[in-house]
Amino acid sequence: MKVFIHGVPDTPHLWKPLVAALGLQPSEYFAPALPGFGTPLPKGFACTKDAYADYLIGEIEKLGQKIDLVGHDWGALLSLRIASLRPDLIRTWCVTNAVIDPDYRGHKTARMWATPLLGEFVMLNMRNKPRMEAALIQGGMPAGLAKEEVPLIDKTMRQSILKLYRSAVGLRFSGDWVSDLANLPTPGQLFWGETDPYVDLSVAERFSKNHNVPLHIENGAGHWACAERADAFAAVLKALWARG
């Protein structure tokens, strides 16, 4: 079973180009929505990094089989956490354009979201849908994807994002989220858009070296390379899955 975990501010719409490139049937993959991201929040859900990781582990356990795990952005961070905590659930894993790295201090928007009051102020601007769509496209999101994603960025998602980033101190990881990476199973893979304005390529290169994980660099692609270059990503995944 292939499992695809989206990031922020995305929904499972992110994976449509990749699923098409892979030729997967609905019974062959699972692309859950993170609670609050185009879907309601379960009662009492905390929207912290640990709450999301625990939720996803529970959903994966229900599948009853080892999985090929793929994650982008926050979905990549959560995928690494899941694979670190429950390597028994993982056949292969691949993350794209985000990794858990104690030396990475977060991009500018992440740091603002993590700051009380400033984060709320920034979120007010996200209520302007045309401006938000233009900003995401400028940041590298394919225009077609932006048209699907932006209408789903509602109050619930905005509040969920603030809580998530504050639980990670704006993407500054430490403690067991870092040390438990020693438990990552093999095989794993990194897929990276070279021109990502949020997470520099050097972060991927450092992770690849430190954890002995192959890195595929997609030249000229950005943060959403997984959708922008779906055919290339599909080829990398098929090669990984063949090694699993």
Side-chain angles (χ1 to χ4, degrees):
M1 176 67 74
K2 318 306 181 189
V3 176
F4 303 105
I5 309 297
H6 69 82
V8 175
D10 284 302
T11 72
H13 284 299
L14 170 73
W15 301 114
K16 287 181 179 180
L18 178 63
V19 168
L22 289 166
L24 294 176
Q25 299 301 311
S27 61
E28 296 176 307
Y29 74 94
F30 175 50
L34 297 178
F37 288 74
T39 190
L41 283 171
K43 187 175 181 179
F45 190 78
C47 297
T48 63
K49 64 185 193 298
D50 293 301
Y52 280 109
D54 290 344
Y55 172 84
L56 290 169
I57 288 171
E59 293 300 294
I60 291 167
E61 285 178 330
K62 294 175 186 177
L63 299 175
Q65 57 184 288
K66 282 198 170 188
I67 65 164
D68 296 302
L69 183 60
V70 180
H72 169 257
D73 187 84
W74 254 105
L77 304 173
L78 292 167
S79 291
L80 289 172
R81 184 58 175 160
I82 292 163
S84 298
L85 288 175
R86 294 295 305 275
D88 58 298
L89 297 174
I90 308 300
R91 196 180 78 92
T92 70
W93 60 268
C94 179
V95 297
T96 170
N97 288 88
V99 288
I100 296 171
D101 180 344
D103 295 323
Y104 175 63
R105 311 315 290 166
H107 54 83
K108 181 180 179 181
T109 303
R111 296 194 300 270
M112 290 192 294
W113 282 340
T115 304
L117 298 182
L118 177 58
E120 280 77 4
F121 177 77
V122 173
M123 282 299 176
L124 288 176
N125 292 329
M126 291 181 67
R127 295 169 60 182
N128 185 316
K129 301 295 186 183
R131 184 185 302 166
M132 186 64 193
E133 184 175 325
L136 287 171
I137 293 170
Q138 184 179 7
M141 181 181 282
L145 178 61
K147 287 187 181 300
E148 290 189 286
E149 299 280 35
V150 169
L152 298 173
I153 302 175
D154 59 5
K155 182 179 180 181
T156 298
M157 187 189 294
R158 293 193 298 269
Q159 292 178 339
S160 299
I161 290 170
L162 292 179
K163 292 176 183 177
L164 176 58
Y165 276 82
R166 288 169 187 178
S167 75
V169 198
L171 301 178
R172 298 181 185 184
F173 289 96
S174 60
D176 57 354
W177 274 64
V178 174
S179 61
D180 286 347
L181 292 172
N183 303 325
L184 284 173
T186 56
Q189 175 74 48
L190 303 181
F191 180 88
W192 214 267
E194 176 196 22
T195 64
D196 188 333
Y198 306 106
V199 193
D200 190 77
L201 176 60
S202 63
V203 178
E205 293 171 333
R206 183 166 57 236
F207 189 97
S208 175
K209 180 181 178 180
N210 289 345
H211 299 281
N212 193 29
V213 179
L215 168 62
H216 173 93
I217 300 169
E218 194 63 22
N219 293 326
H223 184 69
W224 284 270
C226 59
E228 184 184 356
R229 302 284 179 83
D231 288 341
F233 194 22
V236 170
L237 289 174
K238 288 177 179 178
L240 169 66
W241 297 340
R243 303 200 311 267

